[in-house]
Amino acid sequence: MSTNVLNAVLIKYIIPTIDFMKKQIESFLPYIVVFLASLYKPYDADLGWHLKYGEYFFKNFQILTDNTFSAMMPDFKWANISWGVDLVYYSVFSSFGFLGLTLLGALIVTLTFFFFSKAFDLSYWEQSLIFPLLLIIEEPINQVSFRGQLLSLLIFGILIYLFKKYENKPRAIFLTIPLFFIWANLHGQFILGLGVFFIWAIIQIFNKYLDNPKNLTAVRESAKTLGLAFFLSSAVILIHPFGAAVYMDAFLHFENADLKSVLEYLPFDERSTQWWYQLIIGILVAVGVVFMYFEGKLKSNIPYLGLFGILYTLTFFVKRYAWSMYYLSIPFLQPVASFFKPNSKRNTFIVGTVLFIFYLQFAIYFKLPFTQYTNMSWDVYCKEYAHCSPASVEYLIKQKLDKNLFTLYNWGGYIIWNYPQIKPSIDGRMHLWRDKKGYSGFADYYGYEQNLKDIDDSSYNVVLMSPEKPVYKRLLKLAREGKWKLVYKDKYSGVFVRN
């Protein structure tokens, strides 16, 4: 009798409880690991001007289009196509400070992992091997903490999720319309998503034809649905404060020669860590494709292989494509991960959980002390990332050296937010700016910074510069010649004044 009661209790309560706990572990543990591993202090060089634009909107309830914050190109009208990101920056920072941006950045990365995992139906075991790999290779983009690119990667993940939904529910593809409306009003990288949508749709229609060349009705229906969804998604982007300029500004990223001077628009340095990661992912994907072929699963993944191949090739020219490309490698990493899967479900769960617990401890160890996130400040921002000097800027203000001032590009946003009394010469908004006469403030600045043009022949009378830049060495020489004078110096900066 007691054995029967015990068995009844076991069947009715204990086993369901164990199954429930197992499901909760599988549902939440992978994302807890991702969230903790994605905690970073906000180091975005453009943080200051994003905050200033967001502040302007909430104070005036209009989008600022004039260049009121920097000295160069004062009359330039700017189509701020990522205006929505500025509102997010300011809303979070004004309420929760740097900690709020840290938590928001980690949350966005976690949601990105969630949507890509759901899109490609990753199992708990596959997550245990693929998630840590992605966290490692995506670190350069994640470690800046919250920024517009992270939001674009999240929306890109949702887009891929809708692509997969389309396979069973074709009407789901029309959800791309509100998605692109939101994306275009948040961040300019929507143009990449639109390109991916177009290529995916073409391959999808071609696949439909190969399935049954005689059933042209099905092909036409597919083309009609995808064509309409793409057209409406492209059109809804124009519902934007800057209208058609949103497209014009986005396309500037493909034809502006000045971008060769901006690090994120260059390829990875040969034999650098990220360069090796790129090669390793290529090898793993190739192995995964072979596995898929023999398992008969390759045909259904051809659209994603095509997208991956295009982005993988582009990454050899512009590293910015790498972050989207790595996420698209997921379906081809799945068969590789499954190859190492234990034989039984029980062992698969146990080994997967042990791995995630190890990752959790590893993440906690490297994120300690957690007070580094609560104690984050602009001083820490300067010392650890920007290598800027509050004292040098305060010296400029005190000595009233704010006329004909030349400042470092990456310090522009910091000065704009923290020292509105003066204007930096340039900031991170301006790398694409070119007026009707063809003048580029960034190209002009870069020439002086790299000492390709002589600062002594410029109209600048005051220079605030990092010792790491070539122009600093030129100014030291000019100071020895008596043409300029070094009036302030510290570890990160120097202030030179023309005699």
Side-chain angles (χ1 to χ4, degrees):
M1 184 67 178
S2 59
T3 303
N4 292 335
V5 171
L6 183 61
N7 287 336
V9 171
L10 188 67
I11 294 171
K12 188 173 182 179
Y13 297 106
I14 297 179
I15 292 178
T17 301
I18 292 173
D19 287 341
F20 174 77
M21 292 177 62
K22 179 174 174 289
K23 288 180 180 178
Q24 298 308 304
I25 290 171
E26 290 178 341
S27 298
F28 293 102
L29 183 56
Y31 298 106
I32 291 172
V33 170
V34 171
F35 182 83
L36 284 173
S38 303
L39 290 172
Y40 293 99
K41 288 176 281 188
Y43 282 163
D44 186 0
D46 296 331
L47 176 58
W49 66 259
H50 279 301
L51 292 175
K52 207 66 179 175
Y53 268 82
E55 179 188 59
Y56 181 90
F57 179 87
F58 284 110
K59 285 184 176 180
N60 299 280
F61 297 103
Q62 63 182 28
I63 300 170
L64 180 62
T65 59
D66 298 318
N67 180 24
T68 62
F69 298 136
S70 297
M72 298 180 81
M73 304 183 72
D75 300 323
F76 190 82
K77 297 290 184 180
W78 183 40
N80 183 7
I81 63 174
S82 298
W83 69 279
V85 169
D86 299 341
L87 308 192
V88 177
Y89 265 113
Y90 183 75
S91 299
V92 174
F93 187 83
S94 61
S95 300
F96 307 104
F98 282 103
L99 178 61
L101 295 178
T102 290
L103 296 176
L104 179 60
L107 177 61
I108 289 173
V109 173
T110 305
L111 288 173
T112 304
F113 272 67
F114 172 81
F115 277 103
F116 274 103
S117 181
K118 290 298 180 184
F120 297 116
D121 196 23
L122 287 182
S123 68
Y124 184 60
W125 171 256
E126 290 165 349
Q127 289 175 338
S128 72
L129 296 185
I130 294 174
F131 276 15
L133 176 62
L134 287 176
L135 283 170
I136 291 170
I137 61 180
E138 293 279 0
E139 184 184 23
I141 187 67
N142 294 341
Q143 69 180 354
V144 182
S145 191
F146 174 74
R147 65 182 304 188
Q149 271 183 284
L150 287 190
L151 273 175
S152 272
L153 287 172
L154 169 57
I155 299 174
F156 184 67
I158 298 172
L159 179 65
I160 300 299
Y161 176 77
L162 292 178
F163 288 171
K164 294 296 288 185
K165 278 290 182 184
Y166 164 83
E167 294 171 10
N168 297 315
K169 297 179 180 179
R171 290 191 175 275
I173 201 64
F174 289 104
L175 291 174
T176 58
I177 300 167
L179 184 70
F180 273 100
F181 170 74
I182 295 169
W183 197 349
N185 282 278
L186 279 176
H187 193 245
Q189 207 165 331
F190 74 88
I191 198 69
L192 174 62
L194 207 58
V196 164
F197 189 0
F198 179 78
I199 295 168
W200 172 83
I202 294 296
I203 299 175
Q204 196 73 29
I205 295 168
F206 186 66
N207 253 8
K208 195 78 172 177
Y209 172 77
L210 292 179
D211 281 341
N212 190 351
K214 295 181 180 180
N215 189 1
L216 295 180
T217 302
V219 176
R220 281 194 293 268
E221 278 299 312
S222 178
K224 181 180 177 181
T225 299
L226 294 177
L228 182 60
F230 179 79
F231 173 77
L232 293 176
S233 295
S234 303
V236 79
I237 287 170
L238 296 173
I239 306 176
H240 189 281
F242 296 98
V246 70
Y247 274 114
M248 295 169 61
D249 190 90
F251 283 122
L252 283 175
H253 289 77
F254 297 99
E255 59 183 31
N256 195 308
D258 295 335
L259 291 180
K260 294 179 180 179
S261 304
V262 181
L263 287 177
E264 63 181 316
Y265 292 95
L266 297 175
F268 293 121
D269 293 333
E270 191 171 340
R271 299 186 185 280
S272 65
T273 301
Q274 282 296 322
W275 185 83
W276 283 111
Y277 287 159
Q278 187 180 353
L279 290 185
I280 291 169
I281 285 296
I283 293 170
L284 290 175
V285 166
V287 172
V289 167
V290 172
F291 284 164
M292 276 187 171
Y293 175 78
F294 286 107
E295 293 170 2
K297 298 178 180 179
L298 182 58
K299 190 173 184 299
S300 62
N301 283 287
I302 287 293
Y304 306 101
L305 181 59
L307 293 175
F308 171 84
I310 292 170
L311 289 180
Y312 188 80
T313 302
L314 289 174
T315 301
F316 282 100
F317 302 95
V318 179
K319 69 179 70 172
R320 193 181 179 97
Y321 294 108
W323 322 123
S324 304
M325 177 268 292
Y326 288 143
Y327 282 115
L328 282 178
S329 70
I330 290 176
F332 311 103
L333 298 178
Q334 281 181 277
V336 179
S338 296
F339 179 80
F340 298 98
K341 184 179 178 180
N343 294 327
S344 69
K345 289 184 178 180
R346 179 175 175 273
N347 289 340
T348 299
F349 173 75
I350 291 173
V351 177
T353 302
V354 169
L355 286 173
F356 274 121
I357 290 174
F358 171 75
Y359 303 146
L360 187 64
Q361 292 177 329
F362 197 73
I364 291 173
Y365 174 79
F366 277 97
K367 298 302 175 180
L368 290 175
F370 288 112
T371 52
Q372 65 178 302
Y373 306 111
T374 57
N375 294 336
M376 177 63 181
S377 65
W378 283 109
D379 285 339
V380 175
Y381 173 93
C382 268
K383 290 176 183 177
E384 294 188 2
Y385 171 71
H387 295 164
C388 48
S389 167
S392 65
V393 184
E394 290 164 7
Y395 178 86
L396 291 175
I397 295 171
K398 184 178 180 180
Q399 299 297 324
K400 298 182 179 179
L401 298 172
D402 58 334
K403 300 293 186 293
N404 298 324
L405 172 65
F406 185 79
T407 60
L408 187 68
Y409 177 78
N410 275 348
W411 294 349
Y414 168 78
I415 295 173
I416 286 171
W417 177 253
N418 292 279
Y419 299 98
Q421 307 96 312
I422 62 173
K423 289 185 179 183
S425 57
I426 192 170
D427 62 80
R429 299 168 298 161
M430 301 170 65
H431 58 287
L432 290 175
W433 291 10
R434 193 173 289 274
D435 65 18
K436 294 179 180 179
K437 296 180 179 179
Y439 173 78
S440 165
F442 178 80
D444 193 23
Y445 158 84
Y446 191 75
Y448 291 122
E449 182 210 86
Q450 295 297 310
N451 199 31
L452 302 173
K453 297 190 297 184
D454 194 350
I455 193 71
D456 196 42
D457 295 332
S458 73
S459 60
Y460 298 108
N461 294 324
V462 183
V463 176
L464 170 64
M465 191 52 55
S466 163
E468 297 178 356
K469 300 300 180 180
V471 67
Y472 190 95
K473 297 180 178 63
R474 171 60 179 158
L475 285 163
L476 286 176
K477 183 179 179 183
L478 290 170
R480 289 192 295 268
E481 295 172 359
K483 297 180 179 179
W484 289 69
K485 184 177 181 180
L486 178 61
V487 296
Y488 177 89
K489 179 183 178 182
D490 60 28
K491 182 179 178 180
Y492 297 120
S493 67
V495 175
F496 294 85
V497 177
R498 189 190 294 269
N499 281 334

